[in-house]
Amino acid sequence: MKEKSLVIVESPSKAKTINKYLGKDYVVEATIGHIKDLPKSKINVDIDNEFKPTFQVIPGKEKVIDSIKKIARGSGRIYIATDPDREGEAIASDIADEIAGNKERIYRVLFNEITKTGIEQAMNSARKIDENLVQAQVARRVMDRILGYKVSPFLWKTFYFGLSAGRVQSVALRIICDREDEIESFKPKEYWSIEGLFAKPSGKSAQFRAKLFRINEDVLKFDGEKPCIGSLEEASRILNELENNKFTITDITVKEVKRNAPAPFTTSVLQQTASSRLGFSPKKTMMLAQKLYEGIEGSKEEGLVGLITYMRTDSTRVSKEATDSARNFIKDNYGDDYLPEGVKVFKSKKNTQDAHEAIRPTDVNRLPREMKKLGKDLHALYDLIWKRFVASQMSQAVFDQKTVIIKAISPKGSKNTYLFKATGSVLKFSGFLKVYEDVKEDTTDKPDTQDEDEEMTPIPADLKIEDMLKAISLTKEQHFTKPPPRYTESSLIKQLDKLGIGRPSTFATIVSTVIDRKYVDVIEKKLHATTLGRTVNKVLSTHFEDVIDVNFTAKMEEELDTIANGASTYKEVMNDFYDPFSKDLMQAESIAAEIKKGLAVKTDIECPECGKETGAKMIKKWSRNGQFLSCERFPKCKGALPLELPDEKEVEAAKNVKCDICGGDMVIKTGRFGKFYGCTNYPKCNGIKPLTLGIKCPKCGEGEVLMRKAKKGRSFYGCTKYPNCDFISNAIPVIKKCTECGNNYLVSKSTKKDGDYLECPVCKARYELPKADIPKEEIAG
């Protein structure tokens, strides 16, 4: 009887899909992830013995391993098909070590896609386990373990037990905190713009808008830098000079502008785009992509099938078979005009591992509209991947861009020359836009430069040079330059990718970790460094400047690549990491007590317990619930106060609030989730009440709206009557009726492009934002 071959994968769902294609001569088993790891009880890295790690079987995996070993003994060839990346290679090595026996019959296969063709190609290209890739992954794991297990105890000594540091996590925190510093130090600059609404004197021509862009030889800048209109007085003077002017068109230029299709998705770009277009967190995007890769129920004939290629990749490369299939699809469905002459090849960024193709559908003929049964989120992500891939092989979009220059002719004999400019764009040929809508992606990693002079406006077709125009209106508008925006989860990933920090498999984890550690709060999708996060970052970046550094971390990523390609050894790279780290650690630990003392800031607040007798003052200290005020005589005196003492308005507001348990007065206190009402009879009475925004819930009309924080730091707004009322909003609700659909509340929103505004959460109608309507967030903690 012929021995069956054993195929070992990580995921049970992947095993089910693969087993269908391989047939009866194969047995497919799943490890359900890693089978070995460094135990958490201690560091488990022998630094003095060439950084030798001690990996152990993960508790609970013994039965899985015993089952695989038993099947392996009775099998012919053994194919280890864990994920096709370095982490998967390391898992494959662990499995091979556990199976032991004759390693000549153990092979490594890489399933870039879980389809019949993809599996056949992978099985025909089986190879031996690549020890260089394994060592590169082990080096990453050991670096992370050393820094985490050495620096975290240092933070416990200086702050409190439970804090953590990480090789990449702490650098990501530094990037976020550096942006907070930029925002705080930013000084807004005032500038003004002048815009005209023009038309031909006959009134038969359509109206169009143009912006003043040149005064004499000075081309105005719209970022507050010189030359610009810097004050109300200057803007008013210019408008006065332009009063009763005639206007003539001095130049009209029309040029053809071509826009290239975007490259197919890499992991980081998929996470960014899914965030900006679909509202998915990076973590959710990867969870959904994993399901699409491992196998979804297709047609009755297909059964389980992988819908996309492997979702952890930094490459834009696509196989010849896939591009040929895409080009045939484009030709058959859109025509020859939409098909470029040759296959489009995209250049990958520096240090790309290029181990896998870009993320694409496994079969371009599996149309999104036929996949509605996937469910809303899976379908939305598949639709996005499919459209991006098809568009990447389509022709350029072509626009006719028209620019009109208008000169003011002054009857007053002004010596100044004023030129207005209007720019409009008309789609001439849709090209890839036929498939992939061209929307502005998340640009919150870039400073706001206010490129208002390049705004597009519809321009009448009948305009000619030397045409006279009349100004229907001339208006001035005040602006202020804005600080660089805070990062979102997607723009932080974009920045990490740009800087060469982390890898496709780690991006989502990096972001979620700094949020989980309470170093960062997510407020209306923006990452806000908390006081704890900023203080921890200051300590780490000061005392571990050689390691918690963007350039050093990026350099380590490059060195891990050199292990993978055989140019360096594990020991060499680990020494390059550990030498500067150990020096920083030794120096920091020698002054840990001094650092802790420096974090305790003395205040002028008298201790409520012993201050009158001793004159003792309160000092700021750290605890698991954040900063608080403690008597400087601690532990002799245990006097303590919340750090954020209520202001006069809050004290006044609390006067009429009574405890529901004992009837006592309530005061405003601060906990880990913000401010709340606490009973003055504490600790005898534990009565508490939520501190609200002071507006009724728009859903039930009984409870009040308050700001809450999810476990992972994200802020949202809910009802005090929860769980009886399930009202929830990610933006601040404003009790104002929508005139379009009648919904009884709006939400306050803000974008880089549109500034602050109100929006109906139902019909998306927008309204100007009266400042008096904005609830004060700080009241909600």
Side-chain angles (χ1 to χ4, degrees):
M1 182 177 176
K2 182 183 176 182
E3 289 181 317
K4 292 186 177 183
S5 293
L6 171 63
V7 178
I8 303 170
V9 297
E10 292 174 61
S11 162
S13 59
K14 193 198 296 187
K16 192 175 179 182
T17 311
I18 292 168
N19 200 37
K20 182 194 73 170
Y21 289 119
L22 288 177
K24 62 182 181 179
D25 292 332
Y26 294 84
V27 175
V28 185
E29 291 291 315
T31 64
I32 318 174
H34 286 265
I35 62 168
K36 287 183 176 181
D37 200 358
L38 295 169
K40 294 181 179 180
S41 56
K42 55 184 179 179
I43 192 168
N44 283 292
V45 177
D46 190 346
I47 294 169
D48 296 327
N49 186 20
E50 298 184 350
F51 305 97
K52 185 178 179 180
T54 303
F55 289 98
Q56 293 181 5
V57 172
I58 298 170
K61 287 297 179 79
E62 294 87 355
K63 287 185 178 179
V64 173
I65 293 171
D66 288 344
S67 173
I68 290 174
K69 287 168 76 172
K70 183 178 179 180
I71 297 169
R73 282 194 291 270
S75 301
R77 288 191 168 196
I78 299 168
Y79 297 93
I80 304 179
T82 46
D83 282 351
D85 53 21
R86 290 178 190 173
E87 190 174 4
E89 202 76 18
I91 296 173
S93 180
D94 290 339
I95 294 169
D97 289 342
E98 285 299 313
I99 292 174
N102 181 12
K103 288 198 174 184
E104 289 299 315
R105 63 194 183 110
I106 296 176
Y107 295 87
R108 175 84 168 110
V109 291
L110 308 177
F111 294 141
N112 186 56
E113 57 182 75
I114 312 298
T115 61
K116 183 177 182 180
T117 302
I119 290 170
E120 286 176 356
Q121 288 177 348
M123 296 299 286
N124 290 332
S125 304
R127 60 167 172 78
K128 292 300 179 180
I129 292 171
D130 189 328
E131 285 302 322
N132 288 335
L133 295 179
V134 174
Q135 288 301 301
Q137 178 61 25
V138 171
R140 177 187 296 279
R141 185 74 184 90
V142 170
M143 279 185 196
D144 291 344
R145 173 54 66 98
I146 290 173
L147 194 144
Y149 273 56
K150 293 283 189 180
V151 179
S152 295
F154 164 77
L155 291 178
W156 303 343
K157 293 176 189 174
T158 51
F159 287 84
Y160 57 84
F161 180 81
L163 293 181
S164 73
R167 183 178 62 88
V168 179
Q169 160 202 325
S170 298
V171 174
L173 175 62
R174 182 170 185 174
I175 291 170
I176 295 168
C177 291
D178 285 348
R179 179 55 58 88
E180 291 286 350
D181 292 340
E182 289 180 64
I183 292 169
E184 284 189 358
S185 63
F186 182 82
K187 291 182 172 55
K189 296 178 182 178
E190 178 187 13
Y191 68 99
W192 291 73
S193 62
I194 292 177
E195 186 178 81
L197 180 62
F198 296 96
K200 287 186 176 182
S202 64
K204 294 180 180 179
S205 176
Q207 299 174 359
F208 66 101
R209 296 187 179 277
K211 191 181 289 285
L212 179 65
F213 86 103
R214 175 174 286 184
I215 302 174
N216 300 324
E217 297 302 316
D218 293 330
V219 177
L220 298 178
K221 294 184 178 180
F222 293 91
D223 56 4
E225 297 297 328
K226 294 294 181 182
C228 69
I229 303 170
S231 66
L232 171 61
E233 292 75 19
E234 189 178 356
S236 298
R237 178 187 61 77
I238 292 170
L239 276 183
N240 185 52
E241 282 197 21
L242 290 170
E243 190 178 350
N244 299 321
N245 276 213
K246 293 181 179 180
F247 297 88
T248 183
I249 297 175
T250 59
D251 188 38
I252 297 177
T253 58
V254 179
K255 65 177 179 180
E256 191 175 78
V257 177
K258 294 181 179 180
R259 191 175 303 167
N260 291 321
F265 283 128
T266 60
T267 301
S268 66
V269 178
L270 175 63
Q271 290 171 342
Q272 294 157 39
T273 309
S275 175
S276 59
R277 295 196 179 204
L278 306 177
F280 294 169
S281 69
K283 198 169 183 179
K284 179 176 180 177
T285 298
M286 295 312 290
M287 178 195 72
L288 294 171
Q290 182 94 28
K291 290 181 179 179
L292 292 174
Y293 163 70
E294 289 185 346
I296 299 289
E297 197 71 39
S299 64
K300 288 183 179 179
E301 297 76 28
E302 284 183 314
L304 281 170
V305 62
L307 299 184
I308 65 169
T309 53
Y310 190 57
M311 65 286 161
R312 296 187 183 97
T313 178
D314 55 5
S315 175
T316 56
R317 173 177 59 82
V318 176
S319 70
K320 183 179 184 304
E321 292 82 1
T323 53
D324 287 348
S325 179
R327 287 174 64 82
N328 288 334
F329 179 88
I330 294 164
K331 183 177 181 179
D332 293 342
N333 289 273
Y334 300 103
D336 290 338
D337 289 344
Y338 288 85
L339 191 67
E341 288 186 10
V343 173
K344 298 183 77 172
V345 179
F346 298 88
K347 186 178 179 182
S348 295
K349 65 183 182 67
K350 181 187 174 186
N351 297 329
T352 296
Q353 292 181 10
D354 203 38
H356 319 291
E357 290 185 56
I359 303 168
R360 61 168 176 81
T362 54
D363 183 355
V364 75
N365 294 298
R366 194 175 285 114
L367 305 180
R369 66 172 179 265
E370 298 169 357
M371 307 301 293
K372 292 287 178 74
K373 63 181 178 180
L374 289 174
K376 182 181 175 183
D377 290 347
L378 281 169
H379 177 266
L381 191 63
Y382 179 73
D383 181 70
L384 186 66
I385 293 168
W386 186 93
K387 287 178 177 176
R388 178 87 170 210
F389 172 64
V390 173
S392 72
Q393 289 300 320
M394 293 179 75
S395 301
Q396 298 168 314
V398 183
F399 296 82
D400 274 343
Q401 185 171 297
K402 181 186 286 187
T403 301
V404 177
I405 305 298
I406 303 163
K407 182 179 180 181
I409 304 172
S410 173
K412 300 179 181 181
S414 171
K415 293 181 180 179
N416 294 314
T417 301
Y418 295 103
L419 297 180
F420 288 76
K421 179 166 71 173
T423 301
S425 185
V426 178
L427 182 62
K428 188 177 178 181
F429 174 67
S430 59
F432 74 92
L433 294 177
K434 188 85 171 176
V435 172
Y436 189 74
E437 183 186 0
D438 192 27
V439 299
K440 194 172 184 180
E441 305 293 0
D442 188 349
T443 56
T444 51
D445 59 318
K446 297 178 182 177
D448 188 353
T449 54
Q450 305 281 336
D451 290 331
E452 296 171 77
D453 56 328
E454 292 303 324
E455 286 182 359
M456 296 293 173
T457 185
I459 296 177
D462 60 346
L463 299 180
K464 299 182 183 64
I465 294 175
E466 297 184 354
D467 275 354
M468 297 302 295
L469 301 174
K470 69 174 181 179
I472 296 167
S473 66
L474 292 168
T475 56
K476 61 182 183 295
E477 186 177 355
Q478 184 184 37
H479 307 270
F480 289 93
T481 55
K482 296 178 182 178
R486 287 183 172 87
Y487 289 104
T488 61
E489 292 184 63
S490 62
S491 65
L492 178 61
I493 285 175
K494 183 177 182 179
Q495 184 70 353
L496 292 171
D497 191 27
K498 178 183 175 183
L499 295 171
I501 295 169
R503 280 293 178 232
S505 59
T506 63
F507 287 139
T509 307
I510 294 166
V511 177
S512 62
T513 299
V514 293
I515 295 170
D516 293 345
R517 297 289 184 265
K518 310 298 182 189
Y519 294 153
V520 172
D521 279 341
V522 183
I523 302 174
E524 295 183 6
K525 296 188 177 180
K526 299 290 176 65
L527 301 179
H528 293 246
T530 62
T531 303
L532 173 62
R534 297 186 74 175
T535 309
V536 167
N537 172 66
K538 186 176 180 181
V539 169
L540 292 179
S541 58
T542 300
H543 300 286
F544 293 87
E545 60 181 350
D546 295 320
V547 180
I548 309 301
D549 173 78
V550 168
N551 294 328
F552 179 82
T553 306
K555 178 174 175 284
M556 284 298 103
E557 293 290 351
E558 292 177 4
E559 293 211 19
L560 290 173
D561 291 343
T562 65
I563 299 177
N565 61 34
S568 299
T569 65
Y570 170 82
K571 181 183 175 183
E572 289 169 346
V573 172
M574 289 306 304
N575 279 327
D576 288 345
F577 161 74
Y578 192 73
D579 288 348
F581 169 71
S582 60
K583 291 174 185 175
D584 284 352
L585 180 65
M586 188 180 299
Q587 174 64 20
E589 286 187 327
S590 69
I591 56 172
E594 186 180 326
I595 295 169
K596 185 178 181 67
K597 189 176 179 181
L599 294 175
V601 181
K602 192 171 182 178
T603 72
D604 294 329
I605 301 170
E606 191 176 80
C607 174
E609 301 291 333
C610 71
K612 289 183 179 179
E613 295 81 19
T614 65
K617 303 295 184 184
M618 305 296 279
I619 59 174
K620 292 180 185 179
K621 283 187 173 181
W622 284 96
S623 75
R624 291 181 69 86
N625 291 330
Q627 281 185 297
F628 70 103
L629 295 171
S630 172
C631 180
E632 63 181 332
R633 296 179 62 244
F634 179 85
K636 291 182 180 179
C637 174
K638 303 229 172 109
L641 289 170
L643 179 62
E644 294 183 36
L645 298 175
D647 60 30
E648 292 180 9
K649 288 182 180 179
E650 292 174 333
V651 171
E652 191 65 30
K655 281 184 178 178
N656 298 321
V657 182
K658 298 295 181 181
C659 176
D660 293 336
I661 297 175
C662 71
D665 293 332
M666 305 287 278
V667 293
I668 292 176
K669 295 184 175 182
T670 303
R672 64 186 300 186
F673 296 112
K675 294 181 182 179
F676 63 94
Y677 290 116
C679 183
T680 53
N681 293 323
Y682 176 83
K684 291 181 181 179
C685 176
N686 291 322
I688 60 170
K689 283 185 176 181
L691 188 65
T692 70
L693 297 179
I695 58 175
K696 287 289 184 183
C697 172
K699 185 167 186 178
C700 70
E702 296 179 7
E704 291 193 359
V705 176
L706 76 162
M707 186 170 80
R708 298 181 181 272
K709 284 188 181 179
K711 289 182 179 179
K712 295 188 176 180
R714 292 176 174 81
S715 296
F716 65 95
Y717 299 88
C719 179
T720 54
K721 292 292 184 181
Y722 177 84
N724 293 328
C725 175
D726 60 359
F727 169 77
I728 190 170
S729 173
N730 289 321
I732 307 172
V734 175
I735 302 304
K736 194 168 186 176
K737 192 171 182 178
C738 176
T739 57
E740 297 292 325
C741 71
N743 187 51
N744 66 341
Y745 76 101
L746 307 175
V747 293
S748 173
K749 289 200 167 185
S750 179
T751 64
K752 175 181 172 181
K753 181 180 178 183
D754 302 319
D756 298 328
Y757 59 93
L758 294 177
E759 182 180 273
C760 176
V762 177
C763 70
K764 305 303 179 185
R766 291 189 179 187
Y767 303 86
E768 288 187 6
L769 180 65
K771 293 185 179 178
D773 285 345
I774 309 173
K776 290 185 178 178
E777 272 189 77
E778 60 267 22
I779 293 177

